[in-house]
Amino acid sequence: VLHLDPCIPKSWPRFEMMVRYHSAQYQILVENPDGAGRGIDSAKLDDTVIVDRPLRVPLTDDGITHHLRVRLG
């Protein structure tokens, strides 16, 4: 499980990172359009909304590139 609780400078509009878990990759985009800097407003993994907070993403060893999009607010 990947636990995410981003905290970035309010002036950063976004950041991206890649996490590898065995054969899988997780492309992570954290957006900060309103300059909040922290606090998760919404999250989506491969077109599926994640409502659980704190944000915990189950990792799978499936050889696929997954896309996680997090919006701060």
Side-chain angles (χ1 to χ4, degrees):
V1 173
L2 177 65
H3 174 88
L4 288 174
D5 186 17
C7 180
I8 62 174
K10 292 180 179 184
S11 61
W12 287 16
R14 62 189 276 173
F15 76 89
E16 297 179 49
M17 60 188 258
M18 191 272 294
V19 174
R20 184 179 301 268
Y21 179 74
H22 299 286
S23 66
Q25 291 185 22
Y26 289 80
Q27 295 290 336
I28 301 169
L29 169 63
V30 177
E31 299 175 304
N32 187 30
D34 301 322
R38 73 176 315 166
I40 296 174
D41 179 56
S42 62
K44 189 184 285 191
L45 177 64
D46 298 332
D47 298 323
T48 300
V49 174
I50 302 173
V51 295
D52 297 336
R53 300 294 182 269
L55 181 57
R56 290 189 171 102
V57 179
L59 301 175
T60 56
D61 181 10
D62 57 8
I64 297 174
T65 298
H66 299 276
H67 299 276
L68 176 63
R69 185 174 187 166
V70 178
R71 180 184 172 109
L72 301 181

